[in-house]
Amino acid sequence: MSVAEVPVARAVVRGASRGARVREIIFPASLMLCIAFAMLTLVVLLLDVAVDGLPVLSWNFLTSFPSQVFPERSGIQSALVGTLLLMVVCAVFIVPVGTASAIYLEEYADGNRWWNRLIEVNIQNLAAVPSIVYGILGLAFLVRGPLELGRVVLAGALTLGLLVLPVVIIVGREAIRAVPNSIREGSMALGATLWQTIWKQILPGALPGIATGIILALSRAIGETAPLIVVGAAAFARFNPNDLTSDPFSALPIQILAWIQDPQEEFRTLAAGAILVLLILLLFMNAGAIYLRNRYEQKW
Amino acid sequence: MRQVTERPESSSEPRAAESAAGAQKPPAAEPADGRVMGPGTAPAVEGVKAPAAAPDSKPVFAVERLTVSYAGRPAVREVSFGIEERRITALIGASGCGKSTFIRTLNRMNDLIPSASVEGSVRYHGQDLYAPDVDPVQVRKRIGMVFQKPNPFPKSIYDNVAFGPRVLGMKGEMDEMVERALRRGALWDEVKDRLKQNAFGMSGGQQQRLCIARALATDPDVILMDEPASALDPISTGRIEDLMFELKDRVSIVIVTHNMQQAARVSDMTAFFTVVVDDTGHRHGEVVEYDETEKVFTNPADERTEAYVTGRVG
């Protein structure tokens, strides 16, 4: 490089770096602003709920049945039990069905066949269908209609299950696809059948991912309100559902909604308490999902 | 050069004549000059696709006009030759000439690729591997495979080796089977104190020997190796080659390799594949020459073979 060129080159470098420096500051700053806005909204919401709800929280609140007359004696036992039962039955439904569907689509289905492609596209679409539509489906086919289950836990859980099944299948497929092909080949080359390969190599490798997907799906199901309203969950259940297939049931979101709509200020405060309980449940589930992912995720 | 490492006790028994002959073969020096072994040591065989079976060896595979296509387009065409028992057969040739495709037809691994189709016949001890009543899973029980990249399962060393015997429901003491396989895989002394540790913690060379031991655990008749040492350093490569010598008194080995020296060092027979462009401009692989390794490397019948083994092409 000749001597004369040096200052020119420096000027160019300096000019570029000034513009770049400004952009370097503006861009992350605007990103921060977006995060701050989202976080601020969340924090305000949580604080508002916590201020209202924390005084309500007590053992009595958790163990009492809701009352329409005495807010001070009112609690969420039936709603909490209802929600837990819904989650358990929902999990029993979606774990095998979702995992099996994911295995079929990844390992057995020939992607060139039109019906398999149709199934794939439909699962993607179903994941985006509004939850109220699933509620109507549940009402028409599970509560009434062909199955005639009635307004029971089983009907509610199956409705929620159908709602989150697409998510379980999609996440499950991702997890199965993440198991490298070399593992499949290694297993098959040893004389293992496809079924043995799936059962002993692919599923264990995909399990953390599948489990994470299931927990996240349940976290979505636990907060769903609309489908449960349509399916006919009770707003003020004075007893727990003893039977999954015959007793009416309530759930936390339903209870919250009922209290929020109450004209009496005292009942609306109870809603904040129930929201806190629901949030804590959610937090635990998501923490569980993160733990599973970090602890057991297979690095290939 | 091949690494000289200590051989385990198993190799001390007297060898059958043909394997001793193979083991005594001097490690071929530089194939670049291609003439180290002296000309004309092997019987002259006229040109392409001549199954040059040594009199003391039986064919384990008889391949007849084999064409393998992916989605209707041939990847390798009209391959015919016999692979002999208890010998090491090397498949050499430039990338894309169908060596891997070919080796994967020998244990029906191509069945896992939905678009693959096979014409012609592959006879294994006289039995057509592609007959309608043949179960590919049964085929793979007898014919093991080792892949280019070591692919241990994300399990303990022990469970990796035990996987084959377990899925096949083999009878016997599992600890013994695992130890025997690891000894035959020349890995026992290195891992005997950490059998319960995850196989992912091993070095690449150890992982590949584990994959070989894993294949040996089911007591196969043939082991197919698809570039088993291409991801390994020279020392690990030497260990694998030593291992192949030790194994060949009990199993037949077919190895795909891009490493000319390796083919010259380890193999008894060599098949040279090349890429041919047909009238429509489509490229596929064909076998140009199949003969004793010495012959292929010192006095090849086809000039394309000579160009390749001397390093002028590819």
Side-chain angles (χ1 to χ4, degrees), chain A residues 65 77-86 151-154 234 237-251:
Chain A
F65 287 102
Q77 188 190 3
S78 56
L80 190 58
V81 169
T83 282
L84 293 177
L85 282 177
L86 280 173
R151 307 166 153 202
V152 294
V153 173
L154 185 62
R238 303 284 305 148
F239 46 83
N240 294 331
N242 290 319
D243 191 313
L244 300 178
T245 54
S246 60
D247 292 347
F249 68 101
S250 185

mmCIF file of all heavy atoms in Angstrom, chain A residues 65 77-86 151-154 234 237-251:
data_model
loop_
_atom_site.group_PDB
_atom_site.id
_atom_site.type_symbol
_atom_site.label_atom_id
_atom_site.label_comp_id
_atom_site.label_asym_id
_atom_site.label_seq_id
_atom_site.Cartn_x
_atom_site.Cartn_y
_atom_site.Cartn_z
ATOM 1 N N PHE A 65 -65.358 -25.305 49.507
ATOM 2 C CA PHE A 65 -66.122 -25.301 48.258
ATOM 3 C C PHE A 65 -66.629 -23.891 48.007
ATOM 4 O O PHE A 65 -66.786 -23.103 48.940
ATOM 5 C CB PHE A 65 -67.293 -26.286 48.357
ATOM 6 C CG PHE A 65 -66.820 -27.713 48.302
ATOM 7 C CD1 PHE A 65 -66.726 -28.464 49.465
ATOM 8 C CD2 PHE A 65 -66.464 -28.284 47.096
ATOM 9 C CE1 PHE A 65 -66.275 -29.776 49.414
ATOM 10 C CE2 PHE A 65 -66.020 -29.585 47.052
ATOM 11 C CZ PHE A 65 -65.917 -30.338 48.207
ATOM 12 N N GLN A 77 -61.840 -25.704 46.177
ATOM 13 C CA GLN A 77 -61.520 -27.130 46.178
ATOM 14 C C GLN A 77 -62.066 -27.862 44.953
ATOM 15 O O GLN A 77 -61.324 -28.562 44.262
ATOM 16 C CB GLN A 77 -62.053 -27.801 47.442
ATOM 17 C CG GLN A 77 -61.538 -29.230 47.524
ATOM 18 C CD GLN A 77 -62.190 -30.061 48.612
ATOM 19 O OE1 GLN A 77 -63.078 -29.619 49.302
ATOM 20 N NE2 GLN A 77 -61.738 -31.260 48.781
ATOM 21 N N SER A 78 -63.337 -27.680 44.679
ATOM 22 C CA SER A 78 -63.918 -28.443 43.573
ATOM 23 C C SER A 78 -63.282 -28.050 42.241
ATOM 24 O O SER A 78 -63.062 -28.895 41.379
ATOM 25 C CB SER A 78 -65.427 -28.238 43.531
ATOM 26 O OG SER A 78 -65.720 -26.854 43.442
ATOM 27 N N ALA A 79 -62.957 -26.743 42.091
ATOM 28 C CA ALA A 79 -62.345 -26.292 40.834
ATOM 29 C C ALA A 79 -60.932 -26.863 40.681
ATOM 30 O O ALA A 79 -60.540 -27.324 39.604
ATOM 31 C CB ALA A 79 -62.307 -24.769 40.789
ATOM 32 N N LEU A 80 -60.183 -26.841 41.794
ATOM 33 C CA LEU A 80 -58.814 -27.354 41.756
ATOM 34 C C LEU A 80 -58.801 -28.850 41.459
ATOM 35 O O LEU A 80 -58.056 -29.325 40.591
ATOM 36 C CB LEU A 80 -58.131 -27.062 43.100
ATOM 37 C CG LEU A 80 -56.632 -27.301 43.193
ATOM 38 C CD1 LEU A 80 -55.890 -26.484 42.157
ATOM 39 C CD2 LEU A 80 -56.135 -26.947 44.593
ATOM 40 N N VAL A 81 -59.654 -29.581 42.171
ATOM 41 C CA VAL A 81 -59.743 -31.028 41.933
ATOM 42 C C VAL A 81 -60.169 -31.290 40.497
ATOM 43 O O VAL A 81 -59.610 -32.155 39.803
ATOM 44 C CB VAL A 81 -60.715 -31.682 42.937
ATOM 45 C CG1 VAL A 81 -61.013 -33.116 42.535
ATOM 46 C CG2 VAL A 81 -60.140 -31.629 44.334
ATOM 47 N N GLY A 82 -61.141 -30.505 40.041
ATOM 48 C CA GLY A 82 -61.611 -30.662 38.662
ATOM 49 C C GLY A 82 -60.485 -30.449 37.668
ATOM 50 O O GLY A 82 -60.273 -31.250 36.749
ATOM 51 N N THR A 83 -59.710 -29.386 37.867
ATOM 52 C CA THR A 83 -58.609 -29.086 36.949
ATOM 53 C C THR A 83 -57.560 -30.189 36.969
ATOM 54 O O THR A 83 -57.087 -30.643 35.920
ATOM 55 C CB THR A 83 -57.972 -27.736 37.322
ATOM 56 O OG1 THR A 83 -58.817 -26.697 36.840
ATOM 57 C CG2 THR A 83 -56.599 -27.566 36.703
ATOM 58 N N LEU A 84 -57.210 -30.670 38.192
ATOM 59 C CA LEU A 84 -56.194 -31.727 38.273
ATOM 60 C C LEU A 84 -56.678 -33.003 37.577
ATOM 61 O O LEU A 84 -55.935 -33.644 36.836
ATOM 62 C CB LEU A 84 -55.835 -32.001 39.737
ATOM 63 C CG LEU A 84 -55.116 -30.838 40.427
ATOM 64 C CD1 LEU A 84 -54.855 -31.148 41.899
ATOM 65 C CD2 LEU A 84 -53.803 -30.499 39.725
ATOM 66 N N LEU A 85 -57.963 -33.336 37.821
ATOM 67 C CA LEU A 85 -58.505 -34.527 37.162
ATOM 68 C C LEU A 85 -58.490 -34.363 35.645
ATOM 69 O O LEU A 85 -58.132 -35.286 34.906
ATOM 70 C CB LEU A 85 -59.941 -34.794 37.643
ATOM 71 C CG LEU A 85 -60.060 -35.451 39.010
ATOM 72 C CD1 LEU A 85 -61.532 -35.602 39.397
ATOM 73 C CD2 LEU A 85 -59.397 -36.823 39.003
ATOM 74 N N LEU A 86 -58.891 -33.173 35.191
ATOM 75 C CA LEU A 86 -58.878 -32.910 33.751
ATOM 76 C C LEU A 86 -57.477 -33.140 33.179
ATOM 77 O O LEU A 86 -57.311 -33.769 32.130
ATOM 78 C CB LEU A 86 -59.298 -31.468 33.465
ATOM 79 C CG LEU A 86 -60.785 -31.140 33.485
ATOM 80 C CD1 LEU A 86 -60.990 -29.625 33.354
ATOM 81 C CD2 LEU A 86 -61.514 -31.859 32.360
ATOM 82 N N ARG A 151 -72.111 -34.017 30.800
ATOM 83 C CA ARG A 151 -71.199 -32.941 31.218
ATOM 84 C C ARG A 151 -70.285 -33.458 32.319
ATOM 85 O O ARG A 151 -70.444 -33.110 33.491
ATOM 86 C CB ARG A 151 -72.009 -31.757 31.728
ATOM 87 C CG ARG A 151 -73.043 -31.293 30.749
ATOM 88 C CD ARG A 151 -74.002 -30.370 31.447
ATOM 89 N NE ARG A 151 -74.577 -29.433 30.492
ATOM 90 C CZ ARG A 151 -75.103 -28.274 30.831
ATOM 91 N NH1 ARG A 151 -75.102 -27.887 32.097
ATOM 92 N NH2 ARG A 151 -75.620 -27.488 29.915
ATOM 93 N N VAL A 152 -69.343 -34.287 31.936
ATOM 94 C CA VAL A 152 -68.505 -34.959 32.921
ATOM 95 C C VAL A 152 -67.029 -34.690 32.632
ATOM 96 O O VAL A 152 -66.673 -34.168 31.584
ATOM 97 C CB VAL A 152 -68.752 -36.486 32.908
ATOM 98 C CG1 VAL A 152 -70.169 -36.792 33.377
ATOM 99 C CG2 VAL A 152 -68.509 -37.049 31.526
ATOM 100 N N VAL A 153 -66.171 -35.057 33.598
ATOM 101 C CA VAL A 153 -64.731 -34.835 33.468
ATOM 102 C C VAL A 153 -64.190 -35.472 32.190
ATOM 103 O O VAL A 153 -63.402 -34.870 31.460
ATOM 104 C CB VAL A 153 -63.984 -35.411 34.699
ATOM 105 C CG1 VAL A 153 -62.471 -35.335 34.488
ATOM 106 C CG2 VAL A 153 -64.372 -34.645 35.948
ATOM 107 N N LEU A 154 -64.638 -36.690 31.912
ATOM 108 C CA LEU A 154 -64.117 -37.394 30.754
ATOM 109 C C LEU A 154 -64.343 -36.600 29.472
ATOM 110 O O LEU A 154 -63.432 -36.454 28.648
ATOM 111 C CB LEU A 154 -64.784 -38.775 30.649
ATOM 112 C CG LEU A 154 -64.244 -39.679 29.548
ATOM 113 C CD1 LEU A 154 -62.784 -39.994 29.767
ATOM 114 C CD2 LEU A 154 -65.058 -40.965 29.453
ATOM 115 N N ALA A 234 -69.398 -26.866 35.451
ATOM 116 C CA ALA A 234 -70.237 -26.133 36.395
ATOM 117 C C ALA A 234 -69.465 -24.949 36.977
ATOM 118 O O ALA A 234 -68.268 -25.047 37.245
ATOM 119 C CB ALA A 234 -70.679 -27.068 37.513
ATOM 120 N N ALA A 237 -69.460 -25.620 41.730
ATOM 121 C CA ALA A 237 -69.666 -27.022 42.088
ATOM 122 C C ALA A 237 -69.530 -27.143 43.600
ATOM 123 O O ALA A 237 -68.501 -26.750 44.159
ATOM 124 C CB ALA A 237 -68.655 -27.909 41.373
ATOM 125 N N ARG A 238 -70.543 -27.670 44.250
ATOM 126 C CA ARG A 238 -70.533 -27.793 45.706
ATOM 127 C C ARG A 238 -69.897 -29.099 46.150
ATOM 128 O O ARG A 238 -69.880 -29.418 47.328
ATOM 129 C CB ARG A 238 -71.967 -27.703 46.252
ATOM 130 C CG ARG A 238 -72.714 -26.448 45.886
ATOM 131 C CD ARG A 238 -72.265 -25.261 46.707
ATOM 132 N NE ARG A 238 -72.388 -25.552 48.136
ATOM 133 C CZ ARG A 238 -71.585 -25.061 49.066
ATOM 134 N NH1 ARG A 238 -70.575 -24.272 48.702
ATOM 135 N NH2 ARG A 238 -71.768 -25.338 50.333
ATOM 136 N N PHE A 239 -69.443 -29.888 45.226
ATOM 137 C CA PHE A 239 -68.771 -31.156 45.596
ATOM 138 C C PHE A 239 -67.775 -31.519 44.503
ATOM 139 O O PHE A 239 -67.859 -31.009 43.383
ATOM 140 C CB PHE A 239 -69.795 -32.283 45.794
ATOM 141 C CG PHE A 239 -70.812 -32.352 44.699
ATOM 142 C CD1 PHE A 239 -70.537 -33.012 43.510
ATOM 143 C CD2 PHE A 239 -72.058 -31.722 44.840
ATOM 144 C CE1 PHE A 239 -71.468 -33.062 42.505
ATOM 145 C CE2 PHE A 239 -72.987 -31.769 43.809
ATOM 146 C CZ PHE A 239 -72.699 -32.434 42.654
ATOM 147 N N ASN A 240 -66.828 -32.405 44.856
ATOM 148 C CA ASN A 240 -65.853 -32.854 43.863
ATOM 149 C C ASN A 240 -66.468 -33.932 42.974
ATOM 150 O O ASN A 240 -67.337 -34.677 43.438
ATOM 151 C CB ASN A 240 -64.631 -33.463 44.553
ATOM 152 C CG ASN A 240 -63.883 -32.420 45.344
ATOM 153 O OD1 ASN A 240 -63.899 -31.242 44.998
ATOM 154 N ND2 ASN A 240 -63.255 -32.855 46.424
ATOM 155 N N PRO A 241 -65.995 -34.003 41.729
ATOM 156 C CA PRO A 241 -66.474 -35.108 40.900
ATOM 157 C C PRO A 241 -65.869 -36.423 41.397
ATOM 158 O O PRO A 241 -64.653 -36.598 41.383
ATOM 159 C CB PRO A 241 -65.958 -34.748 39.499
ATOM 160 C CG PRO A 241 -64.851 -33.783 39.722
ATOM 161 C CD PRO A 241 -65.068 -33.119 41.019
ATOM 162 N N ASN A 242 -66.721 -37.328 41.875
ATOM 163 C CA ASN A 242 -66.201 -38.609 42.367
ATOM 164 C C ASN A 242 -66.030 -39.607 41.238
ATOM 165 O O ASN A 242 -65.325 -40.589 41.377
ATOM 166 C CB ASN A 242 -67.158 -39.189 43.413
ATOM 167 C CG ASN A 242 -67.107 -38.372 44.687
ATOM 168 O OD1 ASN A 242 -66.034 -37.958 45.124
ATOM 169 N ND2 ASN A 242 -68.266 -38.098 45.257
ATOM 170 N N ASP A 243 -66.705 -39.327 40.172
ATOM 171 C CA ASP A 243 -66.676 -40.283 39.065
ATOM 172 C C ASP A 243 -66.418 -39.508 37.779
ATOM 173 O O ASP A 243 -67.016 -38.465 37.527
ATOM 174 C CB ASP A 243 -68.028 -40.995 38.998
ATOM 175 C CG ASP A 243 -67.963 -42.187 38.049
ATOM 176 O OD1 ASP A 243 -67.433 -42.036 36.924
ATOM 177 O OD2 ASP A 243 -68.420 -43.261 38.440
ATOM 178 N N LEU A 244 -65.495 -40.011 36.983
ATOM 179 C CA LEU A 244 -65.101 -39.286 35.774
ATOM 180 C C LEU A 244 -66.200 -39.289 34.728
ATOM 181 O O LEU A 244 -66.205 -38.473 33.813
ATOM 182 C CB LEU A 244 -63.839 -39.914 35.169
ATOM 183 C CG LEU A 244 -62.596 -39.925 36.059
ATOM 184 C CD1 LEU A 244 -61.445 -40.611 35.354
ATOM 185 C CD2 LEU A 244 -62.215 -38.501 36.433
ATOM 186 N N THR A 245 -67.128 -40.240 34.839
ATOM 187 C CA THR A 245 -68.083 -40.404 33.748
ATOM 188 C C THR A 245 -69.519 -40.079 34.150
ATOM 189 O O THR A 245 -70.419 -40.255 33.343
ATOM 190 C CB THR A 245 -68.050 -41.846 33.226
ATOM 191 O OG1 THR A 245 -68.256 -42.726 34.335
ATOM 192 C CG2 THR A 245 -66.731 -42.162 32.564
ATOM 193 N N SER A 246 -69.742 -39.616 35.411
ATOM 194 C CA SER A 246 -71.146 -39.340 35.741
ATOM 195 C C SER A 246 -71.341 -38.028 36.492
ATOM 196 O O SER A 246 -72.409 -37.440 36.407
ATOM 197 C CB SER A 246 -71.729 -40.498 36.542
ATOM 198 O OG SER A 246 -70.989 -40.660 37.738
ATOM 199 N N ASP A 247 -70.314 -37.536 37.216
ATOM 200 C CA ASP A 247 -70.525 -36.348 38.034
ATOM 201 C C ASP A 247 -70.227 -35.068 37.277
ATOM 202 O O ASP A 247 -69.329 -35.053 36.433
ATOM 203 C CB ASP A 247 -69.625 -36.397 39.276
ATOM 204 C CG ASP A 247 -70.054 -37.497 40.230
ATOM 205 O OD1 ASP A 247 -71.170 -38.023 40.045
ATOM 206 O OD2 ASP A 247 -69.267 -37.829 41.128
ATOM 207 N N PRO A 248 -70.996 -33.998 37.574
ATOM 208 C CA PRO A 248 -70.617 -32.698 37.027
ATOM 209 C C PRO A 248 -69.289 -32.240 37.633
ATOM 210 O O PRO A 248 -68.881 -32.714 38.698
ATOM 211 C CB PRO A 248 -71.748 -31.763 37.449
ATOM 212 C CG PRO A 248 -72.593 -32.525 38.390
ATOM 213 C CD PRO A 248 -72.185 -33.957 38.382
ATOM 214 N N PHE A 249 -68.604 -31.349 36.953
ATOM 215 C CA PHE A 249 -67.288 -30.928 37.426
ATOM 216 C C PHE A 249 -67.117 -29.432 37.187
ATOM 217 O O PHE A 249 -67.815 -28.826 36.394
ATOM 218 C CB PHE A 249 -66.181 -31.687 36.685
ATOM 219 C CG PHE A 249 -66.072 -31.315 35.233
ATOM 220 C CD1 PHE A 249 -65.084 -30.441 34.798
ATOM 221 C CD2 PHE A 249 -66.972 -31.805 34.295
ATOM 222 C CE1 PHE A 249 -64.983 -30.072 33.467
ATOM 223 C CE2 PHE A 249 -66.882 -31.452 32.971
ATOM 224 C CZ PHE A 249 -65.888 -30.585 32.545
ATOM 225 N N SER A 250 -66.148 -28.873 37.896
ATOM 226 C CA SER A 250 -65.764 -27.501 37.642
ATOM 227 C C SER A 250 -64.280 -27.479 37.307
ATOM 228 O O SER A 250 -63.627 -28.520 37.332
ATOM 229 C CB SER A 250 -66.048 -26.627 38.870
ATOM 230 O OG SER A 250 -65.761 -25.282 38.550
ATOM 231 N N ALA A 251 -63.760 -26.293 37.008
ATOM 232 C CA ALA A 251 -62.322 -26.163 36.729
ATOM 233 C C ALA A 251 -61.915 -24.747 37.094
ATOM 234 O O ALA A 251 -62.758 -23.843 37.159
ATOM 235 C CB ALA A 251 -62.025 -26.445 35.264
#
